[in-house]
Amino acid sequence: MGLVLLLPLANPLSTVALLLGLSGNMTREERNQQSLMASVYVFFIMTVAFYAGQLVMNTFGISIPGLRIAGGLIVAFIGFRMLFPQQSTDETPEVESKSNELRKKTSANIAFVPLAMPSTAGPGTIAMIISSASSVKENTLGFAHWVLLVAPVAIFLTVALILWACLRSSGAIMRLVGQSGIEAISRLMGFLLVCMGVQFIINGILELIATYTPAVA
């Protein structure tokens, strides 16, 4: 049941498209490493959100609307970077070769941000996990205690494995569409991410209004 609720929110296929848009200059080994790291990060983010999410948010005074708005800003910023990439000035072969050497030494780490968070374990996913944690801990469904201990970890591990399998298939997709196709996908995903980020912000503001308006009234 929990897996059915989490998968549409996590949406691993959208993370695959994001990886395709951001890993155009990466080698196959680097993409595989980023895929594995992103899956591990997703598992730990979901586990921490389930067992300590509410405590962390209460400690720092973070609300669910604040979480949604912050996630929306991050998603929109990444979308703008993909939609309007900086023009490279590395035109000469010497500069290009040096850039390739530096790129091999310091490849971008996109596993945590944005692949794991906020793409897969985004504000909606984290909010759903935190809100579900209280009902699970209260055992409102009447399951055995050991089931409640094992089920969340098993669900999060399954989501991470599904994400890893999807991300590993990105190499075949990249070979199929080519470099020009990757650039087109990157621009398209950038636009979609801007729209998603703005929608996250709108949802957060609406939820903020709905939360505090009755208290003011």
Side-chain angles (χ1 to χ4, degrees):
M1 182 65 179
L3 182 63
V4 175
L5 295 175
L6 269 184
L7 275 182
L9 288 173
N11 196 1
L13 294 180
S14 65
T15 308
V16 171
L18 184 59
L19 176 64
L20 290 176
L22 294 176
S23 63
N25 295 323
M26 291 185 181
T27 64
R28 179 180 178 182
E29 291 74 17
E30 288 173 340
R31 284 196 303 272
N32 291 340
Q33 182 184 17
Q34 295 293 316
S35 302
L36 178 60
M37 292 174 60
S39 303
V40 173
Y41 287 145
V42 165
F43 172 75
F44 281 108
I45 290 172
M46 290 183 174
T47 303
V48 171
F50 182 83
Y51 290 104
Q54 192 63 56
L55 176 62
V56 171
M57 294 181 67
N58 291 339
T59 301
F60 292 96
I62 303 173
S63 63
I64 296 296
L67 182 68
R68 293 187 188 276
I69 294 174
L73 291 174
I74 295 173
V75 171
F77 174 75
I78 295 170
F80 275 116
R81 292 285 299 271
M82 294 173 62
L83 189 58
F84 304 107
Q86 295 180 352
Q87 297 295 327
S88 176
T89 57
D90 302 340
E91 299 292 342
T92 63
E94 294 82 3
V95 176
E96 187 175 355
S97 63
K98 285 293 184 182
S99 299
N100 291 333
E101 293 178 4
L102 290 175
R103 193 178 293 115
K104 289 180 180 179
K105 293 180 180 178
T106 57
S107 58
N109 188 348
I110 59 174
F112 190 83
V113 177
L115 295 184
M117 178 188 288
S119 178
T120 306
T125 305
I126 294 176
M128 194 275 288
I129 292 174
I130 293 176
S131 60
S132 300
S134 58
S135 60
V136 171
K137 292 175 182 177
E138 292 172 1
N139 196 9
T140 57
L141 300 178
F143 289 111
H145 182 67
W146 69 270
V147 174
L148 298 179
L149 292 177
V150 174
V153 177
I155 291 172
F156 302 150
L157 181 61
T158 304
V159 173
L161 289 175
I162 293 174
L163 174 66
W164 176 77
C166 293
L167 293 178
R168 287 277 295 189
S169 66
S170 63
I173 301 174
M174 181 169 289
R175 289 191 297 270
L176 181 64
V177 300
Q179 185 62 36
S180 59
I182 295 302
E183 293 179 0
I185 292 175
S186 178
R187 299 295 180 93
L188 177 61
M189 281 304 302
F191 175 73
L192 293 177
L193 284 177
V194 172
C195 296
M196 289 170 57
V198 172
Q199 189 61 50
F200 282 160
I201 296 173
I202 292 174
N203 292 342
I205 293 175
L206 292 177
E207 190 171 350
L208 187 67
I209 294 174
T211 302
Y212 291 101
T213 298
V216 175

mmCIF file of all heavy atoms in Angstrom, residues 68-106:
data_model
loop_
_atom_site.group_PDB
_atom_site.id
_atom_site.type_symbol
_atom_site.label_atom_id
_atom_site.label_comp_id
_atom_site.label_asym_id
_atom_site.label_seq_id
_atom_site.Cartn_x
_atom_site.Cartn_y
_atom_site.Cartn_z
ATOM 1 N N ARG A 68 7.340 22.971 1.220
ATOM 2 C CA ARG A 68 6.907 22.988 -0.177
ATOM 3 C C ARG A 68 7.474 24.209 -0.914
ATOM 4 O O ARG A 68 7.938 24.103 -2.064
ATOM 5 C CB ARG A 68 5.383 23.000 -0.256
ATOM 6 C CG ARG A 68 4.723 21.727 0.242
ATOM 7 C CD ARG A 68 3.227 21.763 -0.039
ATOM 8 N NE ARG A 68 2.533 20.649 0.574
ATOM 9 C CZ ARG A 68 2.425 19.446 0.029
ATOM 10 N NH1 ARG A 68 2.995 19.214 -1.133
ATOM 11 N NH2 ARG A 68 1.772 18.477 0.641
ATOM 12 N N ILE A 69 7.437 25.375 -0.287
ATOM 13 C CA ILE A 69 7.925 26.594 -0.937
ATOM 14 C C ILE A 69 9.434 26.514 -1.169
ATOM 15 O O ILE A 69 9.934 26.870 -2.244
ATOM 16 C CB ILE A 69 7.553 27.830 -0.096
ATOM 17 C CG1 ILE A 69 6.029 28.013 -0.074
ATOM 18 C CG2 ILE A 69 8.222 29.084 -0.657
ATOM 19 C CD1 ILE A 69 5.550 29.113 0.849
ATOM 20 N N ALA A 70 10.173 26.029 -0.171
ATOM 21 C CA ALA A 70 11.619 25.892 -0.331
ATOM 22 C C ALA A 70 11.958 24.902 -1.451
ATOM 23 O O ALA A 70 12.835 25.163 -2.286
ATOM 24 C CB ALA A 70 12.248 25.433 0.985
ATOM 25 N N GLY A 71 11.256 23.782 -1.471
ATOM 26 C CA GLY A 71 11.476 22.819 -2.548
ATOM 27 C C GLY A 71 11.128 23.398 -3.904
ATOM 28 O O GLY A 71 11.823 23.141 -4.899
ATOM 29 N N GLY A 72 10.069 24.184 -3.963
ATOM 30 C CA GLY A 72 9.694 24.822 -5.223
ATOM 31 C C GLY A 72 10.741 25.795 -5.721
ATOM 32 O O GLY A 72 11.020 25.866 -6.925
ATOM 33 N N LEU A 73 11.336 26.558 -4.813
ATOM 34 C CA LEU A 73 12.397 27.491 -5.202
ATOM 35 C C LEU A 73 13.606 26.744 -5.765
ATOM 36 O O LEU A 73 14.203 27.169 -6.759
ATOM 37 C CB LEU A 73 12.810 28.345 -3.998
ATOM 38 C CG LEU A 73 11.771 29.355 -3.507
ATOM 39 C CD1 LEU A 73 12.245 30.023 -2.222
ATOM 40 C CD2 LEU A 73 11.501 30.412 -4.573
ATOM 41 N N ILE A 74 13.966 25.619 -5.120
ATOM 42 C CA ILE A 74 15.103 24.831 -5.596
ATOM 43 C C ILE A 74 14.818 24.267 -6.980
ATOM 44 O O ILE A 74 15.664 24.350 -7.892
ATOM 45 C CB ILE A 74 15.422 23.701 -4.604
ATOM 46 C CG1 ILE A 74 15.894 24.281 -3.266
ATOM 47 C CG2 ILE A 74 16.495 22.771 -5.170
ATOM 48 C CD1 ILE A 74 16.067 23.237 -2.178
ATOM 49 N N VAL A 75 13.624 23.708 -7.161
ATOM 50 C CA VAL A 75 13.264 23.117 -8.449
ATOM 51 C C VAL A 75 13.243 24.181 -9.538
ATOM 52 O O VAL A 75 13.750 23.964 -10.656
ATOM 53 C CB VAL A 75 11.895 22.405 -8.347
ATOM 54 C CG1 VAL A 75 11.396 21.987 -9.722
ATOM 55 C CG2 VAL A 75 12.002 21.189 -7.440
ATOM 56 N N ALA A 76 12.668 25.353 -9.237
ATOM 57 C CA ALA A 76 12.602 26.421 -10.228
ATOM 58 C C ALA A 76 13.998 26.929 -10.588
ATOM 59 O O ALA A 76 14.280 27.212 -11.765
ATOM 60 C CB ALA A 76 11.743 27.572 -9.699
ATOM 61 N N PHE A 77 14.886 27.046 -9.606
ATOM 62 C CA PHE A 77 16.258 27.504 -9.874
ATOM 63 C C PHE A 77 16.984 26.536 -10.796
ATOM 64 O O PHE A 77 17.653 26.935 -11.757
ATOM 65 C CB PHE A 77 17.019 27.655 -8.553
ATOM 66 C CG PHE A 77 18.467 27.991 -8.729
ATOM 67 C CD1 PHE A 77 18.861 29.269 -9.100
ATOM 68 C CD2 PHE A 77 19.450 27.029 -8.539
ATOM 69 C CE1 PHE A 77 20.197 29.587 -9.270
ATOM 70 C CE2 PHE A 77 20.780 27.325 -8.705
ATOM 71 C CZ PHE A 77 21.157 28.612 -9.075
ATOM 72 N N ILE A 78 16.844 25.223 -10.517
ATOM 73 C CA ILE A 78 17.480 24.221 -11.369
ATOM 74 C C ILE A 78 16.882 24.278 -12.774
ATOM 75 O O ILE A 78 17.600 24.156 -13.775
ATOM 76 C CB ILE A 78 17.299 22.821 -10.756
ATOM 77 C CG1 ILE A 78 18.045 22.734 -9.418
ATOM 78 C CG2 ILE A 78 17.809 21.730 -11.702
ATOM 79 C CD1 ILE A 78 17.737 21.479 -8.634
ATOM 80 N N GLY A 79 15.574 24.479 -12.856
ATOM 81 C CA GLY A 79 14.920 24.571 -14.156
ATOM 82 C C GLY A 79 15.431 25.744 -14.973
ATOM 83 O O GLY A 79 15.672 25.612 -16.187
ATOM 84 N N PHE A 80 15.611 26.899 -14.341
ATOM 85 C CA PHE A 80 16.144 28.057 -15.047
ATOM 86 C C PHE A 80 17.567 27.798 -15.543
ATOM 87 O O PHE A 80 17.938 28.217 -16.645
ATOM 88 C CB PHE A 80 16.124 29.290 -14.134
ATOM 89 C CG PHE A 80 14.810 30.014 -14.119
ATOM 90 C CD1 PHE A 80 14.059 30.095 -12.956
ATOM 91 C CD2 PHE A 80 14.311 30.608 -15.268
ATOM 92 C CE1 PHE A 80 12.838 30.750 -12.941
ATOM 93 C CE2 PHE A 80 13.095 31.273 -15.258
ATOM 94 C CZ PHE A 80 12.364 31.345 -14.092
ATOM 95 N N ARG A 81 18.379 27.113 -14.732
ATOM 96 C CA ARG A 81 19.742 26.786 -15.149
ATOM 97 C C ARG A 81 19.747 25.870 -16.370
ATOM 98 O O ARG A 81 20.618 25.974 -17.235
ATOM 99 C CB ARG A 81 20.490 26.120 -13.987
ATOM 100 C CG ARG A 81 20.779 27.022 -12.807
ATOM 101 C CD ARG A 81 21.911 27.990 -13.106
ATOM 102 N NE ARG A 81 23.152 27.280 -13.392
ATOM 103 C CZ ARG A 81 24.041 26.932 -12.460
ATOM 104 N NH1 ARG A 81 23.803 27.223 -11.183
ATOM 105 N NH2 ARG A 81 25.146 26.302 -12.798
ATOM 106 N N MET A 82 18.784 24.940 -16.436
ATOM 107 C CA MET A 82 18.708 24.033 -17.575
ATOM 108 C C MET A 82 18.092 24.712 -18.800
ATOM 109 O O MET A 82 18.464 24.419 -19.941
ATOM 110 C CB MET A 82 17.886 22.791 -17.202
ATOM 111 C CG MET A 82 18.526 21.917 -16.153
ATOM 112 S SD MET A 82 17.439 20.573 -15.614
ATOM 113 C CE MET A 82 17.243 19.673 -17.146
ATOM 114 N N LEU A 83 17.133 25.607 -18.566
ATOM 115 C CA LEU A 83 16.453 26.273 -19.672
ATOM 116 C C LEU A 83 17.335 27.318 -20.328
ATOM 117 O O LEU A 83 17.297 27.502 -21.557
ATOM 118 C CB LEU A 83 15.161 26.915 -19.164
ATOM 119 C CG LEU A 83 14.194 27.493 -20.205
ATOM 120 C CD1 LEU A 83 13.756 26.422 -21.191
ATOM 121 C CD2 LEU A 83 12.986 28.110 -19.513
ATOM 122 N N PHE A 84 18.150 28.007 -19.523
ATOM 123 C CA PHE A 84 19.058 29.028 -20.044
ATOM 124 C C PHE A 84 20.482 28.703 -19.610
ATOM 125 O O PHE A 84 21.023 29.344 -18.695
ATOM 126 C CB PHE A 84 18.656 30.418 -19.536
ATOM 127 C CG PHE A 84 17.238 30.789 -19.863
ATOM 128 C CD1 PHE A 84 16.270 30.804 -18.872
ATOM 129 C CD2 PHE A 84 16.870 31.113 -21.161
ATOM 130 C CE1 PHE A 84 14.958 31.143 -19.163
ATOM 131 C CE2 PHE A 84 15.561 31.456 -21.458
ATOM 132 C CZ PHE A 84 14.601 31.476 -20.460
ATOM 133 N N PRO A 85 21.106 27.698 -20.231
ATOM 134 C CA PRO A 85 22.471 27.318 -19.831
ATOM 135 C C PRO A 85 23.460 28.419 -20.184
ATOM 136 O O PRO A 85 23.277 29.168 -21.151
ATOM 137 C CB PRO A 85 22.737 26.047 -20.647
ATOM 138 C CG PRO A 85 21.852 26.173 -21.840
ATOM 139 C CD PRO A 85 20.618 26.892 -21.357
ATOM 140 N N GLN A 86 24.520 28.518 -19.389
ATOM 141 C CA GLN A 86 25.553 29.504 -19.645
ATOM 142 C C GLN A 86 26.342 29.111 -20.881
ATOM 143 O O GLN A 86 26.734 27.962 -21.042
ATOM 144 C CB GLN A 86 26.497 29.620 -18.435
ATOM 145 C CG GLN A 86 25.817 30.159 -17.199
ATOM 146 C CD GLN A 86 26.771 30.272 -16.029
ATOM 147 O OE1 GLN A 86 27.897 29.812 -16.110
ATOM 148 N NE2 GLN A 86 26.323 30.889 -14.963
ATOM 149 N N GLN A 87 26.550 30.095 -21.767
ATOM 150 C CA GLN A 87 27.304 29.834 -22.982
ATOM 151 C C GLN A 87 28.774 29.652 -22.655
ATOM 152 O O GLN A 87 29.378 30.457 -21.955
ATOM 153 C CB GLN A 87 27.143 30.998 -23.972
ATOM 154 C CG GLN A 87 25.715 31.192 -24.452
ATOM 155 C CD GLN A 87 25.220 30.003 -25.266
ATOM 156 O OE1 GLN A 87 25.988 29.366 -25.975
ATOM 157 N NE2 GLN A 87 23.932 29.704 -25.143
ATOM 158 N N SER A 88 29.319 28.554 -23.151
ATOM 159 C CA SER A 88 30.724 28.260 -22.885
ATOM 160 C C SER A 88 31.615 29.096 -23.774
ATOM 161 O O SER A 88 31.337 29.306 -24.966
ATOM 162 C CB SER A 88 31.004 26.768 -23.120
ATOM 163 O OG SER A 88 32.371 26.492 -22.963
ATOM 164 N N THR A 89 32.716 29.609 -23.220
ATOM 165 C CA THR A 89 33.695 30.383 -23.982
ATOM 166 C C THR A 89 34.898 29.551 -24.378
ATOM 167 O O THR A 89 35.885 30.077 -24.880
ATOM 168 C CB THR A 89 34.192 31.582 -23.145
ATOM 169 O OG1 THR A 89 34.738 31.094 -21.916
ATOM 170 C CG2 THR A 89 33.043 32.533 -22.835
ATOM 171 N N ASP A 90 34.809 28.234 -24.131
ATOM 172 C CA ASP A 90 35.933 27.354 -24.448
ATOM 173 C C ASP A 90 35.891 26.978 -25.922
ATOM 174 O O ASP A 90 35.429 25.906 -26.295
ATOM 175 C CB ASP A 90 35.879 26.081 -23.577
ATOM 176 C CG ASP A 90 35.886 26.405 -22.101
ATOM 177 O OD1 ASP A 90 36.316 27.517 -21.768
ATOM 178 O OD2 ASP A 90 35.442 25.553 -21.319
ATOM 179 N N GLU A 91 36.333 27.874 -26.793
ATOM 180 C CA GLU A 91 36.246 27.653 -28.225
ATOM 181 C C GLU A 91 37.500 27.012 -28.791
ATOM 182 O O GLU A 91 37.432 26.214 -29.715
ATOM 183 C CB GLU A 91 35.976 28.993 -28.943
ATOM 184 C CG GLU A 91 34.666 29.659 -28.524
ATOM 185 C CD GLU A 91 33.450 28.892 -28.982
ATOM 186 O OE1 GLU A 91 33.578 28.054 -29.901
ATOM 187 O OE2 GLU A 91 32.367 29.117 -28.430
ATOM 188 N N THR A 92 38.662 27.390 -28.262
ATOM 189 C CA THR A 92 39.900 26.894 -28.840
ATOM 190 C C THR A 92 40.155 25.461 -28.407
ATOM 191 O O THR A 92 39.713 25.036 -27.334
ATOM 192 C CB THR A 92 41.081 27.777 -28.383
ATOM 193 O OG1 THR A 92 41.207 27.673 -26.970
ATOM 194 C CG2 THR A 92 40.840 29.236 -28.759
ATOM 195 N N PRO A 93 40.868 24.675 -29.222
ATOM 196 C CA PRO A 93 41.145 23.280 -28.848
ATOM 197 C C PRO A 93 41.941 23.158 -27.565
ATOM 198 O O PRO A 93 41.734 22.233 -26.779
ATOM 199 C CB PRO A 93 41.937 22.759 -30.055
ATOM 200 C CG PRO A 93 41.573 23.662 -31.193
ATOM 201 C CD PRO A 93 41.334 24.993 -30.574
ATOM 202 N N GLU A 94 42.879 24.120 -27.313
ATOM 203 C CA GLU A 94 43.690 24.043 -26.102
ATOM 204 C C GLU A 94 42.835 24.213 -24.859
ATOM 205 O O GLU A 94 42.943 23.446 -23.893
ATOM 206 C CB GLU A 94 44.797 25.115 -26.133
ATOM 207 C CG GLU A 94 45.832 24.911 -27.219
ATOM 208 C CD GLU A 94 45.372 25.427 -28.576
ATOM 209 O OE1 GLU A 94 44.251 25.995 -28.634
ATOM 210 O OE2 GLU A 94 46.108 25.239 -29.556
ATOM 211 N N VAL A 95 41.969 25.222 -24.901
ATOM 212 C CA VAL A 95 41.099 25.463 -23.746
ATOM 213 C C VAL A 95 40.122 24.307 -23.570
ATOM 214 O O VAL A 95 39.823 23.888 -22.456
ATOM 215 C CB VAL A 95 40.343 26.799 -23.916
ATOM 216 C CG1 VAL A 95 39.353 27.004 -22.771
ATOM 217 C CG2 VAL A 95 41.332 27.951 -23.966
ATOM 218 N N GLU A 96 39.624 23.762 -24.691
ATOM 219 C CA GLU A 96 38.679 22.655 -24.606
ATOM 220 C C GLU A 96 39.322 21.417 -24.007
ATOM 221 O O GLU A 96 38.712 20.714 -23.201
ATOM 222 C CB GLU A 96 38.130 22.335 -25.995
ATOM 223 C CG GLU A 96 37.020 21.298 -25.984
ATOM 224 C CD GLU A 96 36.424 21.103 -27.348
ATOM 225 O OE1 GLU A 96 36.802 21.834 -28.273
ATOM 226 O OE2 GLU A 96 35.572 20.191 -27.485
ATOM 227 N N SER A 97 40.571 21.140 -24.391
ATOM 228 C CA SER A 97 41.256 19.978 -23.833
ATOM 229 C C SER A 97 41.507 20.152 -22.346
ATOM 230 O O SER A 97 41.363 19.214 -21.567
ATOM 231 C CB SER A 97 42.577 19.745 -24.572
ATOM 232 O OG SER A 97 43.452 20.855 -24.398
ATOM 233 N N LYS A 98 41.860 21.375 -21.945
ATOM 234 C CA LYS A 98 42.059 21.643 -20.521
ATOM 235 C C LYS A 98 40.748 21.497 -19.756
ATOM 236 O O LYS A 98 40.726 20.984 -18.641
ATOM 237 C CB LYS A 98 42.620 23.063 -20.317
ATOM 238 C CG LYS A 98 44.094 23.197 -20.673
ATOM 239 C CD LYS A 98 44.952 22.399 -19.720
ATOM 240 C CE LYS A 98 46.436 22.591 -20.010
ATOM 241 N NZ LYS A 98 47.290 21.792 -19.111
ATOM 242 N N SER A 99 39.659 21.963 -20.372
ATOM 243 C CA SER A 99 38.355 21.846 -19.709
ATOM 244 C C SER A 99 37.967 20.391 -19.544
ATOM 245 O O SER A 99 37.397 19.998 -18.523
ATOM 246 C CB SER A 99 37.289 22.589 -20.526
ATOM 247 O OG SER A 99 37.609 23.955 -20.623
ATOM 248 N N ASN A 100 38.271 19.571 -20.540
ATOM 249 C CA ASN A 100 37.968 18.142 -20.435
ATOM 250 C C ASN A 100 38.761 17.493 -19.321
ATOM 251 O O ASN A 100 38.249 16.639 -18.589
ATOM 252 C CB ASN A 100 38.258 17.442 -21.768
ATOM 253 C CG ASN A 100 37.275 17.849 -22.843
ATOM 254 O OD1 ASN A 100 36.143 18.229 -22.551
ATOM 255 N ND2 ASN A 100 37.703 17.774 -24.103
ATOM 256 N N GLU A 101 40.038 17.896 -19.169
ATOM 257 C CA GLU A 101 40.848 17.346 -18.091
ATOM 258 C C GLU A 101 40.289 17.736 -16.735
ATOM 259 O O GLU A 101 40.199 16.913 -15.817
ATOM 260 C CB GLU A 101 42.291 17.835 -18.219
ATOM 261 C CG GLU A 101 43.014 17.294 -19.446
ATOM 262 C CD GLU A 101 44.421 17.847 -19.557
ATOM 263 O OE1 GLU A 101 44.829 18.582 -18.622
ATOM 264 O OE2 GLU A 101 45.098 17.564 -20.548
ATOM 265 N N LEU A 102 39.901 19.002 -16.603
ATOM 266 C CA LEU A 102 39.337 19.452 -15.329
ATOM 267 C C LEU A 102 38.005 18.775 -15.056
ATOM 268 O O LEU A 102 37.686 18.444 -13.924
ATOM 269 C CB LEU A 102 39.156 20.978 -15.345
ATOM 270 C CG LEU A 102 40.449 21.797 -15.314
ATOM 271 C CD1 LEU A 102 40.125 23.283 -15.463
ATOM 272 C CD2 LEU A 102 41.226 21.548 -14.037
ATOM 273 N N ARG A 103 37.223 18.548 -16.116
ATOM 274 C CA ARG A 103 35.937 17.906 -15.939
ATOM 275 C C ARG A 103 36.092 16.474 -15.458
ATOM 276 O O ARG A 103 35.310 15.948 -14.680
ATOM 277 C CB ARG A 103 35.155 17.937 -17.252
ATOM 278 C CG ARG A 103 33.686 17.574 -17.109
ATOM 279 C CD ARG A 103 32.960 17.662 -18.436
ATOM 280 N NE ARG A 103 32.903 19.035 -18.890
ATOM 281 C CZ ARG A 103 33.495 19.483 -19.980
ATOM 282 N NH1 ARG A 103 34.209 18.668 -20.726
ATOM 283 N NH2 ARG A 103 33.383 20.735 -20.331
ATOM 284 N N LYS A 104 37.142 15.803 -15.943
ATOM 285 C CA LYS A 104 37.388 14.434 -15.512
ATOM 286 C C LYS A 104 37.821 14.397 -14.054
ATOM 287 O O LYS A 104 37.502 13.477 -13.321
ATOM 288 C CB LYS A 104 38.475 13.809 -16.387
ATOM 289 C CG LYS A 104 38.012 13.527 -17.803
ATOM 290 C CD LYS A 104 39.125 12.915 -18.627
ATOM 291 C CE LYS A 104 38.660 12.634 -20.055
ATOM 292 N NZ LYS A 104 39.744 12.061 -20.879
ATOM 293 N N LYS A 105 38.570 15.431 -13.637
ATOM 294 C CA LYS A 105 39.053 15.451 -12.260
ATOM 295 C C LYS A 105 37.945 15.833 -11.294
ATOM 296 O O LYS A 105 37.845 15.304 -10.194
ATOM 297 C CB LYS A 105 40.221 16.439 -12.125
ATOM 298 C CG LYS A 105 41.474 16.006 -12.883
ATOM 299 C CD LYS A 105 42.580 17.024 -12.713
ATOM 300 C CE LYS A 105 43.848 16.617 -13.462
ATOM 301 N NZ LYS A 105 44.929 17.619 -13.341
ATOM 302 N N THR A 106 37.129 16.793 -11.683
ATOM 303 C CA THR A 106 36.078 17.298 -10.786
ATOM 304 C C THR A 106 34.744 17.256 -11.525
ATOM 305 O O THR A 106 34.266 18.282 -12.002
ATOM 306 C CB THR A 106 36.394 18.736 -10.334
ATOM 307 O OG1 THR A 106 36.535 19.557 -11.504
ATOM 308 C CG2 THR A 106 37.680 18.791 -9.544
#
